[in-house]
Amino acid sequence: MLHLIRKVLKPFTISHLAKPSGGFWGSLTVRFMKSANSQLIMSVLQSLSAKPGEKILDVGFGHGDAMCHLLESCDVRVWGADYSQTCVDSAAERFAQEIKAGRVSVDCCSVDSTPFPDGHFDGIIHANCWYFWPDLQAGCNEIFRINAPGGRMVAGSKVKIIKTEMQATAQGKALFLNSDVHQFMKCLKAAGYSDVKLEEADGGGEIVIARKDSTGSANASSDGAVA
């Protein structure tokens, strides 16, 4: 039954997956993302292993659950960047107290052009996000720029689902621009990341972990493998 519901609703919600907007379908898409991404988000956070005092950025935060988990897990400062004004407005309301206390900040911006200074974040995360980047290399370059020396980036994805379900239609192909995790890793290395690894996520999917050299320069990279 759930599969049938997803099949019926997908044509209406798929256009909102990259950038949820206001209205019924936008709200429904955010709820769908919350359910579909929950296990992947927990795998991303486990790989990140945030430490007290760190500055963490969630790119394409959507419903904001990863930010919520980060705030509950330890004493960190959390930023969120999303180019959906609907998601930013929702997060501003959800985290109003934390924003007032200086623990959270949310910005509406594109991944390839953020307002943050060089080397600002100890950790950067995103889940089911890089498929939508119009310029994959430009997005990786910008993330590398704002990641602190010695910092890390953790990305979660479900490439198999993207290739078999979401890119099965012309609408999906136009929206999900990137579905090659190895190309994503190459872009991270080209941006300057070192020690780029690929791991298997709990419940299926992939986790890409990239570390920035402590001097801020690129080092030799190594690949992991998904079993």
Side-chain angles (χ1 to χ4, degrees):
M1 184 64 179
L2 179 60
H3 175 73
L4 178 61
I5 293 173
R6 288 175 61 188
K7 185 176 181 179
V8 171
L9 293 180
K10 187 166 68 173
F12 300 98
T13 60
I14 193 171
S15 62
H16 291 273
L17 286 172
K19 188 178 183 180
S21 60
F24 174 76
W25 292 113
S27 298
L28 183 63
T29 301
V30 172
R31 293 181 185 179
F32 169 78
M33 290 164 61
K34 179 181 176 72
S35 173
N37 292 351
S38 58
Q39 192 170 17
L40 184 63
I41 285 173
M42 296 311 296
S43 290
V44 167
L45 294 177
Q46 183 177 4
S47 295
L48 176 71
S49 188
K51 300 174 179 61
E54 288 192 322
K55 298 176 181 179
I56 308 298
L57 172 66
D58 185 359
V59 176
F61 57 81
H63 45 76
D65 277 8
M67 297 168 65
C68 186
H69 286 302
L70 280 166
L71 292 167
E72 293 174 349
S73 65
C74 63
D75 184 18
V76 295
R77 287 195 63 192
V78 180
W79 279 255
D82 202 302
Y83 83 149
S84 164
Q85 190 64 54
T86 297
C87 290
V88 172
D89 291 344
S90 177
E93 181 178 351
R94 178 177 184 180
F95 299 109
Q97 291 184 350
E98 290 83 0
I99 291 173
K100 186 176 181 180
R103 291 196 67 198
V104 171
S105 179
V106 291
D107 288 271
C108 188
C109 60
S110 175
V111 66
D112 56 11
S113 180
T114 72
F116 311 117
D118 293 356
H120 191 61
F121 300 105
D122 302 294
I124 299 175
I125 61 169
H126 47 101
N128 283 330
C129 184
W130 56 267
Y131 326 122
F132 306 113
W133 298 357
D135 187 328
L136 191 58
Q137 188 62 65
C140 291
N141 291 347
E142 181 68 357
I143 283 182
F144 180 81
R145 180 187 71 81
I146 60 178
N147 210 173
R152 67 276 190 213
M153 183 232 63
V154 182
S157 58
K158 293 186 176 181
V159 168
K160 183 178 180 180
I161 292 177
I162 299 305
K163 288 183 175 180
T164 59
E165 293 187 23
M166 297 304 180
Q167 290 184 329
T169 66
Q171 182 188 25
K173 288 180 181 178
L175 182 64
F176 290 84
L177 304 173
N178 312 294
S179 61
D180 186 340
V181 68
H182 295 287
Q183 182 60 38
F184 174 51
M185 294 172 70
K186 288 180 181 178
C187 288
L188 290 170
K189 295 175 185 178
Y193 275 107
S194 60
D195 193 23
V196 180
K197 294 183 178 180
L198 179 63
E199 299 179 353
E200 187 173 357
D202 292 340
E206 310 81 33
I207 299 291
V208 173
I209 304 171
R211 299 187 181 278
K212 188 171 183 177
D213 186 76
S214 59
T215 63
S217 61
N219 275 347
S221 303
S222 60
D223 289 338
V226 175

